[in-house]
Amino acid sequence: MFLGLVRGSLVATRKVPDLEGAVLRVVQPVNHDGSHQGGLIVAVDTVASREGDLVYLVKGREATIPWPQPLAPIDAAIVGLVDGMDLR
């Protein structure tokens, strides 16, 4: 699991049938202090995030778990909205 900042949406008018209805977000991975970590990625949004939201994501095989079609071609998925962090 890792953190990311939603930067925008991606619109794809044609996609494989397993991704019909998927909302795609452009996400900037970030460190716990908010600094950027790598380049932008596209992730399937399973929690109705919005631009500017801090989210947590999963990548790889785990990204398909929250999606109804088990073999959908998904590399990254937003699985939660971050309400706050307590770093001590």
Side-chain angles (χ1 to χ4, degrees), residues 1-5 27-32 37 41 46-47 54-63 65-66 75-82 85:
M1 237 184 289
F2 63 101
L3 296 172
L5 185 63
V27 178
Q28 172 64 63
V30 296
N31 292 314
H32 67 282
Q37 179 181 331
I41 63 170
T46 65
V47 296
L54 183 62
V55 296
Y56 57 96
L57 306 96
V58 291
K59 286 175 69 173
R61 180 72 180 120
E62 291 79 13
I65 293 171
D75 290 331
I78 298 170
V79 295
L81 300 173
V82 177
M85 288 192 300

Side-chain angles (χ1 to χ4, degrees), residues 12-65:
T13 56
R14 294 179 62 176
K15 50 192 159 206
V16 297
D18 284 349
L19 291 179
E20 286 298 321
V23 175
L24 304 174
R25 300 285 188 217
V26 178
V27 178
Q28 172 64 63
V30 296
N31 292 314
H32 67 282
D33 62 1
S35 62
H36 292 185
Q37 179 181 331
L40 297 173
I41 63 170
V42 175
V44 171
D45 184 359
T46 65
V47 296
S49 68
R50 297 180 301 203
E51 188 172 341
D53 282 346
L54 183 62
V55 296
Y56 57 96
L57 306 96
V58 291
K59 286 175 69 173
R61 180 72 180 120
E62 291 79 13
T64 63
I65 293 171

